[in-house]
Amino acid sequence: MTSFTVINPTTATAVKEIELNDLIQTDQIINKAQKAFETWRHVSPGDRAKLLRKFATVVDTHIEELAQLEVLNSGHTIGNARWEAGNVRDVLNYYSAAPERLFGRQIPVPNGIDITFKEPLGVIGIIVPWNFPMPIAGWGFGPALAAGNTVVLKPAELTPMTAIRLGELAKEAGIPEGVFNVIPGKGSIVGERFVTNPLVRKIVFTGSTSVGKQIMRGCADQVKRVTLELGGKSANIIFADSDIELAAAGAPGAVFDNAGQDCCARSRILIQRSAYDKFMEKFEVAVKKFRVEDPALDTAEMGPLVSAGQLERVKEFVPDGTPIAFQGSKPAGPGFWFAPTVLAPKDTTDRAYREEIFGPVVSVIAFEDEADAIRIANDSEYGLSGSIWSRDIGKAIRVSRAVEAGNLSVNSNSSVRYWTPFGGYKQSGLGRELGPDALDAFTETKNVFFDTQK
Ligand code: NAP
Ligand code: MG
């Protein structure tokens, strides 16, 4: 068995050896999950609901432990990490209401009765990236388990620690053996096996657009169901009639939170030209105040990047000599630190402006009017998230309808609420997670006609 050394990104020191599963072990666990499906799907709705609520309660009593693990493994700020663990609890509680409400329909038809059922799919394979190890796992396994499926979950190689702990907490909560399985391993081994093993009936993938495309191609062989949450290059569109001070104060958090390693990061700022100078002046103050420090501190607003490799990737977008508008600070010493960086490219052909960087780098571009803002915002292969700042309600509504993205907020930078659907347009993804309809992504609709004339 091979292993992987987890590194603390804040100190660049080794934390723990994690054993990686091979193909044979992966198949064994998938077989176990398939067996467990036969009993889990028949656990009564009320009992399945109770088990999910118990799981939520056990997570709740381990929030601090899970959060500390994420600081250690991923360099997330402690404040964020507590929110992330709490999000797993909340998603479990939200979907614990689902088993008892998984309604079908009775549809009027001649000569009989017609009923639809929402049947579970079977084993669900969840492939998780390293940027939000806990929430992204929970958005998959919460609704998947609620709908009566069993789960095999592969955490990212870099960040397996909280997922492994969540697997243990599920057992502690009484989730039966084989129902929720965490399988640390390589994407090219464990992840690919989820795609090729026919017992896995659906893939939930979050990660890069290139791997997402590869998975979608692989799923085609078996017409395997697939949900994809991929990259983004979201626009923060700020009109001159907005509260510029408020928009500028919020703009650093909107892109530098989680060190920019966020698929919803507002990494393009589109500012109306007449407010450009005022905005840049306030934005510079806010960027320089943004606290980049030891993520274990309660005051930290940003920690290091996840890995030495990610630091190199981000540096490639800002090579020496790049004209920088202004920069925030970063601590000296070890760890994978990159200071918050603001670029003001001359036009939209700049590589750092167009590509997803997944680091604390933002590009600011001026626009003339509403039509120009919409055109520039939509000039991207991505369409995940974004913000619109304006005091003109009609304009805010028009622009929010015109921007091609799955999750927008007006006079706010918030992207994720577990009550509401989340997902991307264009190459940002396929399907939606969270919200009231997520169960549809984890069930098949079965239609049964009962002839009453015979
Ligand atoms: P990635 O390669 O797409 O990894 C995401 C997950 O997929 C990981 O668990 C990975 O496992 C697994 N995986 C990799 N290759 C696979 C394959 N052939 N079949 C099945 N599963 C596979 O992302 P990354 O390399 O960590 O990050 C690269 C870039 O992707 C980032 O810089 C960023 O631009 C983007 N990204 C986006 C998101 C998002 O939320 N939209 C998240 C992460 C990354 P291993 O960890 O073992 O490789
Ligand atoms: Mg990769």
Side-chain angles (χ1 to χ4, degrees), residues 94-95 139 406-408 414-423 432-438:
Y94 182 72
Y95 289 107
W139 303 353
N407 311 271
L408 294 167
S414 117
S415 313
V416 169
R417 291 155 300 275
Y418 60 85
W419 309 273
T420 59
F422 178 80
R432 293 292 180 271
E433 300 190 279
L434 298 175
D437 302 325

Side-chain angles (χ1 to χ4, degrees), residues 160-181:
M161 290 178 73
T162 47
I164 293 171
R165 189 70 187 119
L166 285 168
E168 293 165 359
L169 296 179
K171 292 213 169 67
E172 203 176 311
I175 301 289
E177 188 64 31
V179 169
F180 176 48
N181 310 277

Side-chain angles (χ1 to χ4, degrees), residues 130 208 210-211:
W130 46 257
S208 61
S210 60
V211 175

Side-chain angles (χ1 to χ4, degrees), residues 20 126-132 136 154-159 185-195 203 205-212 214-215 229-232 261-264 310 313-314 356-359 382 384 422 428:
L20 301 179
I126 304 175
I127 302 173
V128 180
W130 46 257
N131 61 325
F132 288 110
I136 291 172
K154 192 202 91 64
E157 237 181 309
L158 292 172
T159 58
K186 284 183 182 298
S188 56
I189 296 174
V190 178
E192 275 197 34
R193 192 57 189 145
F194 287 4
V195 175
I203 301 288
F205 172 82
T206 305
S208 61
T209 297
S210 60
V211 175
Q214 202 179 322
I215 285 178
E229 299 292 356
L230 310 173
Q261 302 165 124
D262 181 342
C263 44
C264 291
Q310 191 61 16
R313 213 183 111 84
V314 173
E356 181 176 51
I357 299 177
F358 236 54
Y382 295 116
L384 188 56
F422 178 80
S428 283

Side-chain angles (χ1 to χ4, degrees), residues 293-339:
E293 59 187 355
D294 179 354
L297 296 172
D298 277 323
T299 49
E301 291 177 289
M302 185 181 125
L305 292 164
V306 73
S307 65
Q310 191 61 16
L311 178 59
E312 284 315 305
R313 213 183 111 84
V314 173
K315 280 182 177 168
E316 279 173 23
F317 282 95
V318 194
D320 288 342
T322 303
I324 287 171
F326 43 86
Q327 258 182 326
S329 63
K330 64 170 174 142
F336 311 128
W337 302 95
F338 194 91

Side-chain angles (χ1 to χ4, degrees), residues 280 284 288 323-327 341-344:
M280 284 304 249
E284 181 166 7
K288 293 200 161 141
I324 287 171
F326 43 86
Q327 258 182 326
T341 298
V342 179
L343 307 176

Side-chain angles (χ1 to χ4, degrees), residues 63-73 78 81-82 162 296:
I63 297 278
E64 192 56 28
E65 182 200 331
L66 288 163
Q68 296 288 350
L69 268 183
E70 206 64 275
V71 174
L72 189 70
N73 188 164
I78 184 67
R82 287 185 185 123
T162 47

